[in-house]
Amino acid sequence: MPLTTKERLAIAPQKMPELAPEVRSKTMDEVAIGYSAKEAKTEALRCLNCKKPGCIEGCPVRINIPSFIEKIANEDFQGAIDKIKETSLLPAVCGRVCPQEKQCQKKCIVGISLKDVEKSVAIGRLERFVADWERENGSVKIPEVKPNTGKKVAVVGSGPASLVVAADVRREGHSVTIFEAFHKLGGVMRYGIPEFRLPNSIVDKEIETLKKMGVEFKTNFVVGRTRKLADLIQKDKFDAVFVGTGAGLPLFMGIPGEDLNGVFSANEFLTRANLMRAYENIISPNREVETPSTPLWEGKQVAVLGGGNVAMDAARIAVRLGAEKVRIIYRRTAAEMPARAEEVHHAQEEGVEFCYLQNPNKILGDEKGFVKSLLIDRYKLGDPDEKGRPRPVKLEGESFELPVDTVLVAIGNSSNPLISQGTPELKTNKRGNIEISNPETNQTFMDKVFAGGDIVLGAATVILAMGEGRRAAFGINKFLEKQ
Ligand SMILES: Cc1cc2nc3c(=O)[nH]c(=O)nc-3n(C[C@H](O)[C@H](O)[C@H](O)COP(=O)(O)OP(=O)(O)OC[C@H]3O[C@@H](n4cnc5c(N)ncnc54)[C@H](O)[C@@H]3O)c2cc1C
């Protein structure tokens, strides 16, 4: 007998099993452990399978959510993951890092009826469960690749947008080469998001699948420097190029003292910790690991400026590296903070202090040029700005000095100008993002060149980058078909 709506609504939301804060704050191990099959089935039974599923509307890649959840409830885990993969390439990643509470789960009728988005069906956790189940059971299928067409496509960057393009274009039988500036693949999923949120093994697995499909990878290859974009077309005879170079250029506050020792962009700090694995010296000094050659500043009194996911990641890495005190300094309040609710909650549990309605106006240094304190102004919320967020209004005469030895600036990223500067045919907007001439195909204003992800959107999310990649792949496949 199927459960009634009343019975489904009465099932308690299944909590995500997690490592205890005092254990996890000393390791890089993944914080969320994942549902068991029993927990996943119970959570799936909470779905009402409604006639007009708002969750699908809330998903940027329109996964058929009620259908995959119903399969979990029926213990058809293979069917569930197959359903997700009809529209999404990286479910193990998205299940972990998508801002579900602002997307699919926000529109879930269960959360709406219970008047609490946290009580919505845990769609992300269920997505992660089946993706992990597939990997752990060794049943990951390699997508079928059509016979070779003789056409060549270059993909610049190896973030989520590029991985989707590579898969979708390769499936059509075109040869694909990914050019990546770093020595490791995966983009922000590798160098930005720490392993305690997204283990590298997950990203490795996705890349392994692409390799098995015949995608080629060239690392340490900076397009714009190692080779010009135009040369990929004119000299190397690529029939089309996709640019997915992300938004890796950190923004700074523009206040005095940002050149002092001990001030870092969160991007640099995270790259040193994650990509260069500098944390291994500190967190596991006795473990037999290759000694990382990149040192990392071990701050004790750390201030992180900003309130997004990057700020949360930087703060939580600082905790793991042994900081005595880590503070997030944010000029609005918790309600306006852009970071995922779960990351904020985890950071709080790990001892990070949140200082709202505060913003520094100056970083002070000692006689040797090292950071010693921040001069901070206090704010209140004012009228809404053009995006509808209340404007922070400075309270005169309320400044104070906060002693710190490390400042991590996490106020946003913009696009790296390297490719666009050397390629005048590529149109960019005033923020340096590449402009698209056809939003259905992500074709740029340059012949044979397509673009997508953060380099087009500005710093966004993994799922939006993937959506862009899918559109660009559609555009490239259509373009090559006509050649
Ligand atoms: C610390 C951090 C935490 C985040 N947390 C989340 C989260 O929890 N959830 C979420 O959805 N999103 C999160 N994001 C945002 C998300 O990761 C990005 O929106 C997404 O990765 C963008 O994908 P992309 O493919 O456009 O580019 P990226 O992932 O940025 O990849 C671009 C790649 O291009 C390479 N590249 C750049 N220039 C060149 C060149 N000239 N030649 C060759 N290669 C080049 C770069 O090295 C990089 O590997 C986070 C971002 C950061 C920085």
Side-chain angles (χ1 to χ4, degrees):
M1 262 291 271
L3 297 181
T4 62
T5 299
K6 203 169 157 204
E7 284 166 333
R8 287 175 190 267
L9 285 174
I11 302 172
Q14 299 298 290
K15 283 209 177 109
M16 175 59 109
E18 289 171 354
L19 289 182
E22 60 281 9
V23 175
R24 71 188 195 227
S25 57
K26 295 185 182 65
T27 78
M28 292 291 278
D29 294 346
E30 192 174 12
V31 170
I33 295 166
Y35 279 157
S36 64
K38 185 164 172 264
E39 287 161 335
K41 181 175 175 177
T42 310
E43 184 64 27
L45 286 170
R46 298 183 62 237
C47 175
L48 303 182
N49 211 340
C50 26
K51 285 212 177 79
K52 271 196 182 169
C55 53
I56 301 184
E57 236 175 73
C59 170
V61 295
R62 302 282 185 270
I63 294 174
N64 190 337
I65 293 168
S67 167
F68 96 74
I69 290 185
E70 192 180 19
K71 290 185 193 306
I72 296 179
N74 293 331
E75 294 176 48
D76 174 12
F77 303 142
Q78 186 64 56
I81 189 66
D82 289 346
K83 183 52 70 185
I84 296 173
K85 285 195 163 176
E86 283 174 10
T87 40
S88 173
L89 183 75
L90 306 170
V93 174
C94 293
R96 285 171 165 81
V97 305
C98 265
Q100 291 103 5
E101 74 276 8
K102 291 181 189 152
Q103 297 177 340
C104 52
Q105 291 176 199
K106 188 177 175 186
K107 304 230 172 167
C108 167
I109 203 77
V110 176
I112 294 171
S113 347
L114 299 173
K115 296 191 175 57
D116 183 355
V117 69
E118 299 217 343
K119 293 194 176 138
S120 292
V121 176
I123 299 165
R125 292 172 184 173
L126 291 173
E127 180 183 22
R128 167 193 164 143
F129 168 76
V130 279
D132 289 356
W133 176 89
E134 184 192 40
R135 211 180 46 257
E136 282 153 18
N137 283 277
S139 60
V140 177
K141 290 181 204 139
I142 309 301
E144 217 173 288
V145 172
K146 290 189 184 158
N148 203 346
T149 61
K151 305 257 166 60
K152 294 199 317 175
V153 177
V155 172
V156 187
S158 63
S162 297
L163 298 186
V164 169
V165 171
D168 284 3
V169 170
R170 180 70 195 124
R171 260 194 268 250
E172 291 305 304
H174 309 306
S175 90
V176 176
T177 308
I178 290 191
F179 297 96
E180 167 56 51
F182 279 138
H183 61 294
K184 292 247 168 101
L185 301 160
V188 170
M189 298 185 295
R190 173 90 55 183
Y191 78 79
I193 303 178
E195 286 222 64
F196 56 77
R197 284 213 289 135
L198 177 60
N200 283 339
S201 56
I202 308 260
V203 181
D204 289 340
K205 202 76 195 173
E206 302 300 345
I207 288 163
E208 216 177 278
T209 305
L210 288 178
K211 282 185 181 159
K212 286 186 182 152
M213 288 170 73
V215 172
E216 281 183 44
F217 292 89
K218 287 199 190 321
T219 49
N220 297 313
F221 195 111
V222 185
V223 174
R225 202 148 275 162
T226 317
R227 201 107 175 109
K228 283 201 171 141
L229 180 65
D231 289 345
L232 290 176
I233 299 167
Q234 284 152 19
K235 295 189 178 157
D236 301 331
K237 306 286 176 219
F238 280 98
D239 298 286
V241 179
F242 172 76
V243 182
T245 45
L249 188 70
L251 300 173
F252 281 89
M253 303 271 296
I255 56 174
E258 280 187 300
D259 53 351
L260 288 163
N261 292 314
V263 182
F264 296 86
S265 70
N267 253 36
E268 178 185 346
F269 187 74
L270 288 168
T271 305
R272 281 174 182 260
N274 299 329
L275 185 72
M276 315 304 283
R277 307 189 74 76
Y279 66 82
E280 285 180 347
N281 272 339
I282 300 154
I283 289 185
S284 33
N286 301 323
R287 225 169 74 191
E288 277 189 29
V289 288
E290 212 181 301
T291 306
S293 53
T294 304
L296 191 57
W297 179 270
E298 288 175 55
K300 295 293 171 215
Q301 296 291 324
V302 180
V304 183
L305 313 182
N309 287 322
V310 183
M312 298 309 129
D313 286 341
R316 296 174 69 197
I317 287 270
V319 167
R320 282 158 177 75
L321 297 179
E324 286 155 12
K325 185 82 202 165
V326 181
R327 293 180 176 88
I328 295 270
I329 316 267
Y330 181 59
R331 61 191 186 142
R332 292 185 172 91
T333 71
E336 292 80 35
M337 219 158 45
R340 292 185 64 210
E342 185 173 286
E343 308 314 329
V344 175
H345 172 65
H346 283 156
Q348 279 164 338
E349 284 186 333
E350 290 165 14
V352 174
E353 188 185 321
F354 284 70
C355 308
Y356 297 117
L357 296 168
Q358 297 182 11
N359 202 30
N361 63 53
K362 193 172 186 178
I363 308 172
L364 301 174
D366 63 16
E367 61 292 344
K368 290 189 177 147
F370 285 83
V371 172
K372 71 167 199 194
S373 62
L374 283 173
L375 271 188
I376 298 185
D377 294 320
R378 288 191 194 277
Y379 284 75
K380 66 173 183 176
L381 292 184
D383 294 335
D385 61 15
E386 57 286 350
K387 286 188 191 157
R389 290 193 305 177
R391 249 177 250 275
V393 180
K394 193 163 116 182
L395 298 171
E396 293 304 332
E398 296 234 8
S399 305
F400 65 99
E401 189 173 343
L402 176 75
V404 292
D405 59 24
T406 306
V407 178
L408 305 176
V409 185
I411 57 163
N413 291 301
S414 68
S415 53
N416 188 319
L418 191 66
I419 291 188
S420 46
Q421 271 171 2
T423 323
E425 307 92 303
L426 265 186
K427 263 202 203 170
T428 52
N429 64 18
K430 62 177 189 296
R431 286 189 299 274
N433 301 328
I434 295 179
E435 289 197 350
I436 294 303
S437 67
N438 180 349
E440 276 169 27
T441 61
N442 274 43
Q443 161 93 52
T444 67
F445 284 90
M446 185 173 171
D447 191 29
K448 300 188 179 177
V449 180
F450 298 75
D454 281 6
I455 189 66
V456 169
L457 300 173
T461 61
V462 169
I463 191 93
L464 288 176
M466 284 170 55
E468 289 264 298
R470 180 131 288 171
R471 256 192 315 280
F474 165 78
I476 292 170
N477 288 334
K478 223 169 102 179
F479 169 74
L480 294 180
E481 208 181 282
K482 286 196 206 135
Q483 298 299 295

